Amino acid sequence: MVDVSEGEGAPRMTTYVALINWTDQGIKNFRETTQRAEDFTKLVESVGGQVRELLWTVGEYDIVCVTDFPDEETGVAALLQVGAAGNVRSRTLRAFSSDEMSGIIRRAG
């Protein structure tokens, strides 16, 4: 898990990168996208997470978002809530820090 804390013993967070596309409903309501982003940020914060970055993009994806959650179950539950609203579809990737990747490599031998 990614350590987003300042000191030892503080909680560690799981990080996700979401590549997001608007659905037909989402593009019809594009004028509300920044408000939906604010609502998403409030949802993430209400479950103990943090939106590190949320960017609107041009190209294959409409939005890219990096979030931290206290654990995987909390992250998946929040992302399901967002998907259920019907405005976006996402490809969500679990991300690892350099420290986490070093630990994974040690385990792999």
Side-chain angles (χ1 to χ4, degrees):
M1 292 179 257
V2 175
D3 187 358
V4 296
S5 63
E6 295 289 327
E8 287 188 36
R12 296 170 68 83
M13 305 280 266
T14 55
T15 299
Y16 295 90
V17 176
L19 307 172
I20 301 167
N21 288 111
W22 285 325
T23 61
D24 288 343
Q25 173 182 309
I27 193 67
K28 285 179 187 173
N29 299 310
F30 74 90
R31 288 174 182 85
E32 300 167 2
T33 188
T34 55
Q35 181 58 53
R36 291 194 305 257
E38 288 178 32
D39 293 344
F40 173 69
T41 298
K42 288 176 186 172
L43 169 67
V44 171
E45 291 172 351
S46 76
V47 298
Q50 172 189 2
V51 175
R52 280 201 212 177
E53 190 82 59
L54 194 145
L55 302 166
W56 285 263
T57 56
V58 176
E60 187 174 352
Y61 298 99
D62 299 310
I63 302 167
V64 175
C65 184
V66 179
T67 53
D68 293 320
F69 288 99
D71 55 66
E72 292 185 358
E73 292 84 359
T74 301
V76 172
L79 296 172
L80 284 172
Q81 284 182 274
V82 171
N87 291 300
V88 296
R89 294 199 196 297
S90 69
R91 293 179 183 250
T92 304
L93 306 119
R94 172 66 167 89
F96 299 91
S97 69
S98 178
D99 287 344
E100 289 176 300
M101 196 62 212
S102 293
I104 291 167
I105 292 168
R106 280 192 299 277
R107 285 181 174 211

